[in-house]
Amino acid sequence: MSDIKIFTTGGTIDKVYYDAKSDFQIGDPQIEPILQEAGVTLSFEVQSLLRKDSLEMTDEDRARVREAVQQDSHQRILITHGTDTMIDTALALGDCADKTVVLTGAMQPARFRITDAVFNVGFALGVAMSHPAGVYVAMNGQVFDPRKSVKNRAEGRFEASQ
């Protein structure tokens, strides 16, 4: 069995923009190229669950993610996810606390020359491999408890909630 299971759900990290006037599309998951280019030596398995902008995710989609996490035999799981509703999905995973589950994403697509995707994925992988069982959001060098955090859309970052 691999060291970690990675589920992809879409979001900005996997977005493709064809030109300034076109709509985006969710492309192929970018997690494998990111990890390969980074020289990650852990063994991992990737499974694509969804290819959606997180604003389009439904309660049924979150249930599908929760079921995949619960049914998987891995104890360490990383989920790439759109940032707008990442907290919602993390909260839906609250009953998966017997595993270490980390959600991460990006504010800029992984395909862009300047992106936070590579850093966020590497950081989240480290969190998944080093933290005890629980559900976490790992973004921009910080680990958040989804029950006590929010996305600050104006600043483009996650923060602890008051």
Side-chain angles (χ1 to χ4, degrees):
M1 182 163 66
S2 60
D3 295 317
I4 189 164
K5 180 68 169 263
I6 301 170
F7 292 112
T8 65
T9 64
T12 297
I13 196 168
D14 293 332
K15 283 184 181 177
V16 178
Y17 292 87
Y18 294 99
D19 60 47
K21 295 180 182 179
S22 67
D23 290 329
F24 73 88
Q25 292 181 354
I26 304 294
D28 292 332
Q30 293 300 294
I31 190 83
E32 281 192 75
I34 289 171
L35 296 176
Q36 289 168 351
E37 289 172 15
V40 170
T41 58
L42 294 171
S43 61
F44 57 88
E45 293 177 35
V46 177
Q47 181 179 342
S48 180
L49 294 177
L50 303 166
R51 286 189 181 185
K52 285 189 169 186
D53 184 290
S54 71
L55 290 172
E56 297 174 357
M57 286 184 73
T58 64
D59 289 341
E60 291 78 20
D61 294 328
R62 286 184 231 305
R64 180 176 174 193
V65 173
R66 186 179 62 248
E67 182 178 345
V69 168
Q70 288 174 327
Q71 296 298 319
D72 198 89
S73 61
H74 290 82
Q75 291 302 303
R76 299 188 181 279
I77 295 175
L78 177 64
I79 300 171
T80 61
H81 196 287
T83 61
D84 284 315
T85 65
M86 185 182 293
I87 298 290
D88 297 335
T89 300
L91 291 171
L93 293 168
D95 58 353
C96 300
D98 61 325
K99 299 180 181 196
T100 303
V101 182
V102 180
L103 289 82
T104 196
M107 300 295 180
Q108 301 88 22
R111 290 173 173 83
F112 282 15
R113 187 180 72 76
I114 298 174
T115 179
D116 58 335
V118 175
F119 178 80
N120 287 341
V121 166
F123 179 70
L125 183 63
V127 171
M129 296 308 293
S130 64
H131 276 59
V135 178
Y136 307 94
V137 169
M139 289 289 296
N140 308 107
Q142 292 188 282
V143 181
F144 296 96
D145 177 338
R147 298 166 298 175
K148 301 175 185 175
S149 57
V150 295
K151 179 182 176 185
N152 180 332
R153 285 180 175 80
E155 297 292 326
R157 66 179 182 224
F158 284 80
E159 301 172 341
S161 58
Q162 303 301 330

